[in-house]
Amino acid sequence: MQDKTAALYTERRIMRYDKGSWSELNDQVTLERPLHLEINGRDFITLLCTPVQRKELAAGFLLSEGIIQSPEQIVSMDLREKEDLISVELTGIEINFEDRIKKITLTSGCGRGTILCDVMDTLSQPRVSGSMALSPVEIIERMHELHHLSSTYLKTGGTHSAAVTDGRSLLAFAEDLGRHNAVDKVLGFCFLNRIPTGDKAVLASGRISSEIIMKVGRSGFPILATRAAATDQVIRIAEAMNITLIGFARGSRMNVYTCPERITGTGRKGRS
């Protein structure tokens, strides 16, 4: 879980206009820092993020981009906070750095997010086989818990949040200025702590776009739920990867776009 003692925001003196009058006050704003990711001594990519859970972010990014598949491939992770640098030594892999750069895709994520692959390649990825089943009440209760844990968002309005759940409780939680970063952080937490994913769900606060559903599918999670919307491309990818995709899970309602058999009460039989 996220270290709640670490501040994700700072205070700035601002001028506020409200109903015809001005006032001067302190306002809380989200922190943003670069994270330079170095692999086996070579510069790889720079991620703009909220500067907490940066090892989890790096691990989740490498996992969700298909660069690593097991924690044993990580020999070491050296985080140099003052330099905004994390140096990762990997073993048992070969990276064509030039080819990866050629495949960079600018995403619809917060800021100018990137993924190091062709989105359409995902349609041929292995299907997720997890057979988790959740009730609508479990999803709504866990989404409510996600919202109330998002203390930085409630203070600044400038972050997204993500979590991993087994239906009964939240096993991982993260906030970040980028919704894709928040997802990578909880994926990285589960990966580094060897938490099985086939019977877990990912929860998110923001709109689901292609890079996020790809990250979740590659990590083996069978269910992804968000408080916000999904795009048509996301629905196509979720169908192809056999992921249950849920949108607008807020209040007492939700939309189930794909694979409803994992949600109890829909009248669909679960898969074996």
Side-chain angles (χ1 to χ4, degrees), residues 130-175:
S131 57
M132 183 185 196
L134 287 178
S135 71
V137 170
E138 287 176 317
I139 296 168
I140 289 168
E141 286 181 349
R142 300 293 79 76
M143 292 298 294
H144 183 74
E145 188 176 354
L146 172 72
H147 177 68
H148 283 277
L149 272 177
S150 305
S151 58
T152 306
Y153 170 77
L154 296 174
K155 287 181 172 70
T156 69
T159 59
H160 288 281
S161 55
V164 170
T165 182
D166 58 4
R168 299 178 298 278
S169 62
L170 299 186
L171 307 177
F173 171 79
E175 285 185 278

Side-chain angles (χ1 to χ4, degrees), residues 169-187:
S169 62
L170 299 186
L171 307 177
F173 171 79
E175 285 185 278
D176 197 278
L177 60 94
R179 50 196 165 87
H180 47 291
N181 288 347
V183 170
D184 273 338
K185 285 179 177 180
V186 295
L187 299 186

Side-chain angles (χ1 to χ4, degrees), residues 69 76 90 98 109 116 130 144 153 171 205 216 233 238 252 271:
Q69 290 78 42
S76 64
L90 301 179
E98 289 71 23
L116 304 177
H144 183 74
Y153 170 77
L171 307 177
S205 64
V216 170
Q233 179 79 325
S252 59
R271 301 183 181 184

Side-chain angles (χ1 to χ4, degrees), residues 45 47 61 65 104-107 112-116 180 215:
I45 198 168
L47 305 170
F61 180 82
E65 293 298 326
I104 283 181
T105 300
L106 294 178
T107 74
R112 294 185 65 176
T114 62
I115 50 176
L116 304 177
H180 47 291
K215 291 174 183 294

Side-chain angles (χ1 to χ4, degrees), residues 59-168:
F61 180 82
L62 294 173
L63 171 68
S64 64
E65 293 298 326
I67 295 167
I68 56 177
Q69 290 78 42
S70 71
E72 287 73 23
Q73 291 175 300
I74 301 177
V75 177
S76 64
M77 302 180 77
D78 179 20
L79 176 60
R80 305 171 203 168
E81 294 278 5
K82 293 182 179 180
E83 300 174 50
D84 292 317
L85 171 70
I86 185 164
S87 180
V88 183
E89 183 180 352
L90 301 179
T91 186
I93 65 164
E94 292 185 9
I95 303 176
N96 186 326
F97 286 83
E98 289 71 23
D99 186 58
R100 285 280 179 175
I101 295 303
K102 289 177 183 177
K103 289 186 175 181
I104 283 181
T105 300
L106 294 178
T107 74
S108 56
C110 305
R112 294 185 65 176
T114 62
I115 50 176
L116 304 177
C117 64
D118 187 331
V119 172
M120 299 311 295
D121 288 345
T122 307
L123 299 180
S124 61
Q125 292 285 323
R127 289 164 64 83
V128 175
S129 59
S131 57
M132 183 185 196
L134 287 178
S135 71
V137 170
E138 287 176 317
I139 296 168
I140 289 168
E141 286 181 349
R142 300 293 79 76
M143 292 298 294
H144 183 74
E145 188 176 354
L146 172 72
H147 177 68
H148 283 277
L149 272 177
S150 305
S151 58
T152 306
Y153 170 77
L154 296 174
K155 287 181 172 70
T156 69
T159 59
H160 288 281
S161 55
V164 170
T165 182
D166 58 4
R168 299 178 298 278

